[in-house]
């Protein structure tokens, strides 16, 4: 089975397949039977330290993206981008496949609802390309959320799919924009929840750092591993997701001074469910845990990671 997988999904020679074996710990599990994804971002001294991302798809299997596929920005605005080049996604050859992991959770939900039929044509973009687009009249600004991994463009869709994507973006607080003409017509999706908080004067510098780090030769295509059985010792933290419609879970792990050391973000899940989290990824310590459903705080507690 593994040999056939490598044959079928063999990537370009500039990439490598990173196979996770059965002994690897999963980040989370859920009773929800549909498509889900989640990320864990760990900080040190207020800056990004490490990240993990897991995709669970009933049709395509479970995929795990480890810390080697994360890159970080620079200056005071350190936050990570993650390589999302999973083999079941349709991606244009020259697209730079790095976006913010929290944005990726929302974006993957949208394309999963479209059965992954959409072609991703643009993700991370450098400042030179942005200037070129501006000269050609394709954009009116020399700064874009594409430059810091907060936007993705997709093509290959019909009118009904465009309408559905627009509705999903509205529910997930994402900006939807359909523009261009002819073969260049596409849907632009961006995460304003992060973009609008950034100091715009640093966009070009952060973008340069991201694009320097996003050398595709360093990164691997993501390969699936077998789904693990629910293990109460591994998945010792359980969080409820409640509410009608689409729901997300955000868990903040902070110290006694209120400084956030880690963020766990999971979803998007329709209706009520429960997320089982594996806290062994966290550094040892005492944490105050704050729980947010759809960005509304629903509880808090103190835990120890030994």
């Amino acid at each position: 089975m593994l040999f056939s997988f490598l044959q079928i999904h063999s990537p370009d020679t500039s990439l490598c397949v990173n196979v996770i074996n059965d002994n690897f710990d999963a980040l989370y599990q859920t009773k929800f039977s549909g498509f889900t994804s989640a990320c864990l971002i760990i900080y040190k001294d207020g800056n990004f330290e490490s990240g993990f991302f897991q995709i669970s798809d009933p049709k395509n299997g479970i995929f795990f993206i480890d810390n080697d596929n994360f890159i970080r920005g620079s200056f005071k605005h350190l936050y990570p981008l993650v390589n999302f080049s999973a083999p079941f996604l349709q991606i244009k050859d020259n697209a730079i496949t790095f976006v913010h992991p929290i944005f990726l959770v929302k974006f993957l939900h949208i394309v999963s609802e479209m059965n992954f039929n959409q072609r991703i044509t643009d993700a991370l973009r450098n400042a030179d390309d942005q200037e070129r687009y501006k000269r050609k009249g394709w954009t009116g600004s020399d700064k874009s959320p594409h430059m810091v991994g907060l936007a993705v463009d997709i093509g290959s869709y019909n009118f009904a799919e465009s309408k559905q994507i627009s509705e999903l973006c509205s529910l997930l607080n994402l900006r939807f924009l359909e523009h261009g003409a002819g073969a260049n017509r596409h849907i632009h999706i961006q995460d304003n929840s992060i973009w609008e908080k950034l100091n715009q004067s640093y966009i070009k510098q952060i973008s340069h750092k991201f694009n320097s780090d996003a050398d595709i030769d360093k990164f691997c295509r993501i390969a699936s591993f077998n789904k693990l059985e629910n293990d109460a010792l591994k998945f010792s933290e359980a969080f409820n997701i409640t509410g009608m419609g689409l729901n997300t879970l955000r868990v903040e792990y902070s110290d006694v001074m209120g400084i956030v050391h880690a963020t766990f973000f999971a979803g998007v899940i329709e209706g009520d469910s429960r997320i089982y989290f594996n806290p062994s990824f966290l550094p040892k310590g005492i944490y105050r845990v704050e729980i947010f459903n759809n960005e509304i705080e629903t509880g808090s507690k103190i835990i120890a990671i030994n």
Side-chain angles (χ1 to χ4, degrees), residues 39-52 67 72 78-80 102 250-265 277 279-290 292 302-303 305:
C39 62
L40 175 65
I41 307 168
I42 298 174
Y43 308 93
K44 184 177 182 181
D45 299 327
N47 296 324
F48 170 71
E49 174 72 11
S50 56
F52 308 92
N67 189 49
R72 68 193 70 196
L78 283 173
Y79 70 87
I102 290 179
R250 178 167 59 88
V251 183
E252 300 286 359
Y253 293 84
S254 58
D255 60 22
V256 294
M257 302 299 294
I259 299 173
V260 176
H261 287 257
T263 298
F264 175 63
F265 187 84
F277 173 62
S280 65
F281 290 86
L282 295 170
K284 295 179 180 179
I286 305 295
Y287 294 95
R288 174 179 171 83
V289 181
E290 295 178 280
F292 299 82
I302 303 296
I303 67 168
I305 305 297

Side-chain angles (χ1 to χ4, degrees), residues 4 70 202-203 210 213 253 275 284:
S4 63
F70 281 74
Y202 289 104
I203 297 302
F210 277 144
D213 288 347
Y253 293 84
I275 296 283
K284 295 179 180 179

Side-chain angles (χ1 to χ4, degrees), residues 32-37 55-58 88 105 108-109 112 116 267-268:
F32 180 64
S33 60
F35 179 95
T36 60
S37 63
I55 301 167
S56 297
D57 181 16
F88 55 84
V105 170
L108 285 176
H109 173 77
S112 72
F116 305 105
V268 177

Side-chain angles (χ1 to χ4, degrees), residues 76-116:
K76 297 179 180 179
H77 305 278
L78 283 173
Y79 70 87
L81 301 186
V82 59
N83 177 11
F84 65 92
S85 57
F88 55 84
L89 296 175
Q90 299 183 43
I91 304 172
K92 188 178 178 182
D93 289 344
N94 62 351
I96 306 174
T97 56
F98 284 84
V99 295
H100 193 285
I102 290 179
F103 171 46
L104 181 58
V105 170
K106 302 174 186 178
F107 175 75
L108 285 176
H109 173 77
I110 291 174
V111 293
S112 72
E113 290 291 292
M114 304 292 108
N115 295 315
F116 305 105

